[in-house]
Amino acid sequence: MRSPEAPPPIRQAVILAGGRGTRLAPHTDLRPKAMVEVRGTPLLRHQLDWFAEAGVETVVVSAGYRAQVITDYLRTAALPVRAIVVVEDHPLGRGGGLKLAARALPAPREPWFAAYGDIWSDLPLTALGTHHVRGSALATVALVPARLPRGSVVCDGSGRVVDLAAPSGRAVNGGVYAFAPAVVPLLPDRGDHADTTLPHLVRLRQLAGHPAEGFWRAVNTPGDLRELRAHPASVRP
């Protein structure tokens, strides 16, 4: 029996790059967290390349702390995607930053990816996008192996998330999403979507989980940065 054709790739994405990253000081004293370098490559540039490899054409970057560092870089670098910067006049939180950036997406009726700007990963975004479109949930979150047991995500037999913060488990929210257009009005104008939008979607049974394969690291502390810089997966081809 012939398998159904894969849906077209998701063409647009959002990167949350507004955070200061106080726990990553002194690396973030003069630049935002997303511009911290790993083997000479900013986290932000790694993500732009990662999205481009998945067929994304436009990325909206939500900037805040030292936004000029980001805008200067994107203006002068040879980029694999079209990059648009939106700047928070005052801190909006992750949910508010997502909403601000999503409203600048060029195709408001199409699905979109989103990622936290402190992630270095080679998770297959095309697989996440296909899972999202075929599953028909309003949102799909990439699930990565838990390095600590707290805050684990639990899914039911159909792959829908039923718990976002279980005391123990094998997978956690990887900070990488695929969203349907209808999620945008559900995001808060200010605050964290993890406290509002995601629990609401769980209650509606509209948040799917996608177990993702590949390398994933979040860079929150100097120790995380040292570990990533020493890891072979941080070497860009």
Side-chain angles (χ1 to χ4, degrees):
M1 185 176 182
R2 185 179 178 182
S3 59
E5 293 184 3
I10 294 177
R11 303 185 301 162
Q12 53 188 5
V14 165
I15 295 175
L16 285 178
R20 178 168 184 169
T22 54
R23 288 192 294 160
L24 198 53
H27 302 283
T28 52
D29 289 347
L30 299 176
R31 56 189 168 182
K33 194 177 184 182
M35 289 301 295
V36 171
E37 293 185 354
V38 177
R39 297 178 182 261
T41 301
L43 292 168
L44 177 64
R45 177 53 190 263
H46 163 73
Q47 290 195 347
L48 293 175
D49 291 340
W50 181 41
F51 279 124
E53 291 163 4
V56 170
E57 300 169 0
T58 302
V59 177
V60 179
V61 180
S62 179
Y65 170 71
R66 292 198 177 272
Q68 193 64 44
V69 177
I70 290 176
T71 56
D72 288 347
Y73 175 79
L74 296 179
R75 186 179 65 251
T76 58
L79 303 176
V81 296
R82 176 191 179 204
I84 301 169
V85 181
V86 295
V87 180
E88 302 175 13
D89 294 331
H90 53 274
L92 299 176
R94 293 188 301 183
L98 274 176
K99 191 170 192 175
L100 178 70
R103 286 175 167 168
L105 289 168
R109 296 184 179 180
E110 294 186 12
W112 47 290
F113 288 121
Y116 302 156
D118 60 1
I119 292 169
W120 185 286
S121 179
D122 62 5
L123 303 180
L125 290 168
T126 50
L128 174 65
T130 298
H131 184 91
H132 172 70
V133 174
R134 286 181 173 169
S136 71
L138 289 178
T140 304
V141 58
L143 303 180
V144 300
R147 305 186 76 187
L148 294 173
R150 301 186 302 274
S152 298
V153 176
V154 177
C155 297
D156 63 16
S158 65
R160 298 299 170 101
V161 175
V162 294
D163 194 338
L164 289 162
S168 62
R170 298 181 179 180
V172 296
N173 180 340
V176 184
Y177 304 88
F179 288 125
V183 167
V184 177
L186 300 178
L187 293 168
D189 295 320
R190 187 171 185 174
D192 196 334
H193 64 293
D195 297 329
T196 55
T197 308
L198 296 187
H200 177 64
L201 292 172
V202 169
R203 290 191 293 270
L204 296 177
R205 300 195 74 254
Q206 284 295 318
L207 179 62
H210 175 66
E213 299 179 353
F215 180 79
W216 178 94
R217 285 293 185 276
V219 181
N220 294 308
T221 67
D224 294 335
L225 185 60
R226 288 193 297 271
E227 179 182 332
L228 177 57
R229 286 173 171 172
H231 199 287
S234 68
V235 180
R236 293 292 300 173

